[in-house]
Amino acid sequence: MELMNNYKETILIVDLDAKQCDTESLSEDMVAAGLGGAGITTALYEQYKDRDPLIIGTGFFTGTFMPGGCAGVVSAKSPVTGKLCHVPFGGYAAVELKLTGFDFVVVLGSSDSPVRLWLHDGLSDLDDAADIWGKDVWDSVDKIREAYGDEMIQLLVIGPAAEAQSKASQFSVNYWGSFDKSALGAVFGAKKLKAIALRGLDSLDVAEGFFGACVDLKNAICAGAISGKYGLKDIAKDIGIDAGAIEKLASMTHRNNAAYNCPYAAAAFVKYNEAPTAVDMKGHPAPGCLITDIQGFAALHGAGLDAGQAMEQCFRQGIEPEAAAKAGKTDGVSADAGKAGAFSTAVPVSIFGSGQGDAGWQKRQALAAVLGIDPMLMVMAPEITEAKIVELVQMSAEWDDFSAEELDRIASAVIAKSA
Amino acid sequence: MDLKVDSLKCTGCRICEFACNYHQDETISSIGSSLMFYFEEKKNYYGMMVKRAKTLYLGRPEGEQLLKPGEQIEGAGASAKPILLRVACDCCADEDDGPLCVRACPYGVLSLEG
Ligand code: SF4
Ligand code: SF4
């Protein structure tokens, strides 16, 4: 196995009780047992269970040429379900984490004062966060980027709702919320961990032939089930979102963004403070927001709120949008939306005719969380077959005896241990 | 031949940068790439810069622009500066199957022209 093609071989252990950071090595045995992502965060969770661990992990293919290899996973016991949950996070944040030099981050215990963790260039700094505790997510992102002097810093961050350990809260990826429907944001809050800031300039090795094999798979995906579809609007139409909400989304959509190496652009940037068609770099400083959780957007619209602006309020406060919709407001939200689960219910069961019912969905989500593949793409791209995954694991890590049975065993274990 | 960017089709997936880095030094990363994504996140304003041998090419939503050495990159901020130190695009002349960034882009944004 050539681990350096997929991992930097380092686990960071952050002990908040002692305010200390330490490292352990990510061994070949751990990768053989759990492959990556949720396969390994589950093992680390069991190892550190008595210290209330919050674990952030990168998948086996995160930051590689594997199509959709954008995702990481946050694993912790949900305050809502009381069980281990795996929440995917995408954009560029998980890639940035892997390229900081840390594959996994295990946060243990809790701090007696607000802190933020700054990971960069193989270094881990546990810094005071009193200056941003109490601030909303948008202000916190701006202040942290300013403090560390880099606009490209990626963040997992919480707002006031998660600081108060609300079951209606979520953690946020940069300014734009997340797929956290299990209130893992409140776990950050209980630990007084305001943010994890990431900037990674490291590199991974690449196995011979892997780039070409990934380009071929990407071309097959683009020519497959997603062909002719574009943007969040087409997903919304396909999964039966209310026509009024779709119209609202379409009327404000500026452009659709893709997460790192994703062949489907599933995030719609909506503008409500200037014309959606404007592409002027000197325009409004905060013209709108980025929507990935279409069900949250639709729920807010259905609750009679102005969905674009209401999403922004949820993002700023760090509130899960469906919980806000249930409460009918975006301030003082206390109820959870009852959407918590082992994997994020922000991901539809079927998109564009691809989907294999609830059990099939669960397996695809477990695989996404292990491999670091975008969880939406795993549903909408049946071209990413299990046989193809096995072939690419073998090729990427020069690991010829990795088998379909092993992949199956690893996904099943992740599902069983979060049930 | 020069690399061109059809910016309005771009989705910001950034795999072109990592593909170019792979061409330039056989690893996956973004820091050795001749291409650089620049991004004003709150405005969702983004474009691509390409370091060419004698100029800097900007492919942004408003259109294309060529800058000569010493000219300011208007609006792209301090994060754009490192592109000036990067190795210039060689159009992947030694790659048998064509330019890696063009092959990697899922959205048909990049092309070699001229
Ligand atoms: S053509 Fe080749 S050298 Fe030029 S930007 Fe693309 S990958 Fe880099
Ligand atoms: S690969 Fe294509 S779509 Fe992605 S950032 Fe580069 S040019 Fe844009």
Side-chain angles (χ1 to χ4, degrees):
Chain A
M1 193 195 295
E2 274 302 324
L3 211 46
M4 291 301 274
N5 294 350
N6 298 81
Y7 277 120
K8 303 306 299 181
E9 302 186 359
T10 308
I11 302 170
L12 180 70
I13 311 286
V14 182
D15 183 336
L16 290 179
D17 295 326
K19 291 210 174 125
Q20 254 178 16
C21 295
D22 226 329
T23 58
E24 285 178 9
S25 60
L26 176 71
S27 66
E28 285 197 8
D29 286 351
M30 292 180 81
V31 175
L35 196 52
I40 291 176
T41 61
T42 299
L44 291 166
Y45 179 81
E46 290 183 331
Q47 185 182 342
Y48 291 103
K49 211 176 192 163
D50 55 343
R51 299 211 48 209
D52 204 11
L54 169 70
I55 306 164
I56 297 95
T58 61
F60 186 79
F61 287 127
T62 307
T64 70
F65 289 119
M66 177 73 175
C70 66
V73 64
V74 177
S75 302
K77 183 161 91 175
S78 163
V80 179
T81 65
K83 291 177 183 163
L84 175 61
C85 290
H86 305 288
V87 176
F89 66 97
Y92 316 122
V95 177
E96 206 74 48
L97 170 58
K98 194 175 268 184
L99 297 179
T100 63
F102 301 109
D103 305 311
F104 292 86
V105 179
V106 180
V107 185
L108 303 173
S110 60
S111 174
D112 54 5
S113 61
V115 287
R116 59 189 186 220
L117 183 62
W118 167 218
L119 307 181
H120 59 111
D121 309 309
L123 301 172
S124 56
D125 302 327
L126 197 53
D127 292 339
D128 182 74
D131 59 332
I132 48 170
W133 192 256
K135 294 219 182 309
D136 80 19
V137 165
W138 288 29
D139 286 349
S140 302
V141 171
D142 290 340
K143 288 227 150 34
I144 291 171
R145 286 180 172 168
E146 204 183 303
Y148 297 137
D150 192 333
E151 300 155 31
M152 297 298 275
I153 287 170
Q154 299 296 305
L155 292 124
L156 301 181
V157 53
I158 58 167
E163 289 178 16
Q165 300 176 44
S166 162
K167 288 183 182 173
S169 70
Q170 64 174 197
F171 69 80
S172 182
V173 181
N174 303 346
Y175 303 107
W176 316 121
S178 72
F179 277 7
D180 179 11
K181 305 260 174 189
S182 297
L184 297 194
V187 180
F188 283 70
K191 294 182 176 304
K192 287 212 165 56
L193 178 61
K194 177 71 176 176
I196 302 179
L198 308 160
R199 186 69 172 120
L201 303 175
D202 210 329
S203 61
L204 293 168
D205 294 339
V206 184
E208 186 75 40
F210 186 66
F211 175 80
C214 290
V215 168
D216 290 347
L217 176 57
K218 178 264 294 181
N219 290 338
I221 293 169
C222 290
I226 64 169
S227 139
K229 312 284 185 191
Y230 195 80
L232 188 59
K233 182 177 148 211
D234 282 355
I235 294 177
K237 275 193 202 157
D238 188 75
I239 64 171
I241 293 290
D242 166 74
I246 296 177
E247 203 183 312
K248 178 81 184 163
L249 179 81
S251 72
M252 294 190 293
T253 297
H254 169 59
R255 62 196 298 188
N256 284 280
N257 295 4
Y260 171 84
N261 197 11
C262 273
Y264 193 91
F269 195 89
V270 297
K271 288 189 177 180
Y272 37 81
N273 292 327
E274 70 180 14
T277 47
V279 282
D280 183 358
M281 132 176 92
K282 297 190 194 87
H284 195 288
C289 63
L290 186 72
I291 311 293
T292 52
D293 175 11
I294 185 62
Q295 300 178 74
F297 180 90
L300 290 168
H301 179 80
L305 300 170
D306 191 321
Q309 317 243 13
M311 284 298 271
E312 176 179 330
Q313 289 314 313
C314 287
F315 293 160
R316 283 180 178 272
Q317 298 302 313
I319 295 170
E320 194 279 295
E322 287 182 271
K326 198 170 155 192
K329 57 184 184 175
T330 54
D331 55 356
V333 178
S334 58
D336 70 80
K339 294 284 183 112
F343 304 101
S344 177
T345 56
V347 181
V349 171
S350 168
I351 311 172
F352 305 145
S354 308
Q356 302 146 331
D358 287 342
W361 176 85
Q362 211 177 34
K363 173 110 185 259
R364 296 294 275 179
Q365 294 309 295
L367 287 172
V370 167
L371 299 164
I373 298 176
D374 181 87
M376 299 279 273
L377 192 70
M378 277 300 267
V379 174
M380 61 181 136
E383 299 77 17
I384 309 175
T385 61
E386 289 180 34
K388 184 51 81 180
I389 291 168
V390 171
E391 180 191 320
L392 291 173
V393 169
Q394 290 177 344
M395 183 188 265
S396 147
E398 299 167 41
W399 182 8
D400 292 345
D401 49 6
F402 184 76
S403 66
E405 291 71 36
E406 276 300 281
L407 186 69
D408 203 57
R409 176 191 62 74
I410 289 164
S412 302
V414 167
I415 293 167
K417 287 173 182 168
S418 55
Chain B
M1 294 281 266
D2 281 313
L3 185 71
K4 305 268 274 181
V5 178
D6 185 354
S7 182
L8 284 171
K9 282 199 217 158
C10 178
T11 63
C13 82
R14 295 184 58 185
I15 197 57
C16 52
E17 282 184 283
F18 288 71
C20 182
N21 196 101
Y22 179 52
H23 162 68
Q24 302 291 9
D25 86 348
E26 301 196 342
T27 64
I28 190 158
S29 178
S30 64
I31 59 169
S33 172
S34 312
L35 277 162
M36 190 171 163
F37 177 69
Y38 66 96
F39 190 27
E40 289 190 42
E41 187 170 354
K42 247 192 210 164
K43 296 182 187 171
N44 203 49
Y45 178 87
Y46 51 86
M48 201 59 73
M49 297 184 279
V50 186
K51 170 87 180 278
R52 292 181 179 170
K54 298 202 175 80
T55 52
L56 184 63
Y57 168 90
L58 306 186
R60 42 184 163 191
E62 303 94 316
E64 301 166 298
Q65 201 184 341
L66 268 184
L67 296 180
K68 299 204 180 67
E71 281 183 288
Q72 285 291 323
I73 311 171
E74 192 204 354
S79 63
K81 295 245 169 66
I83 187 79
L84 302 171
L85 307 171
R86 300 280 179 86
V87 7
C89 167
D90 59 14
C91 297
C92 284
D94 64 345
E95 300 279 358
D96 293 343
D97 296 322
L100 300 200
C101 61
V102 176
R103 289 173 64 203
C105 176
Y107 300 91
V109 176
L110 307 170
S111 56
L112 278 186
E113 286 174 23

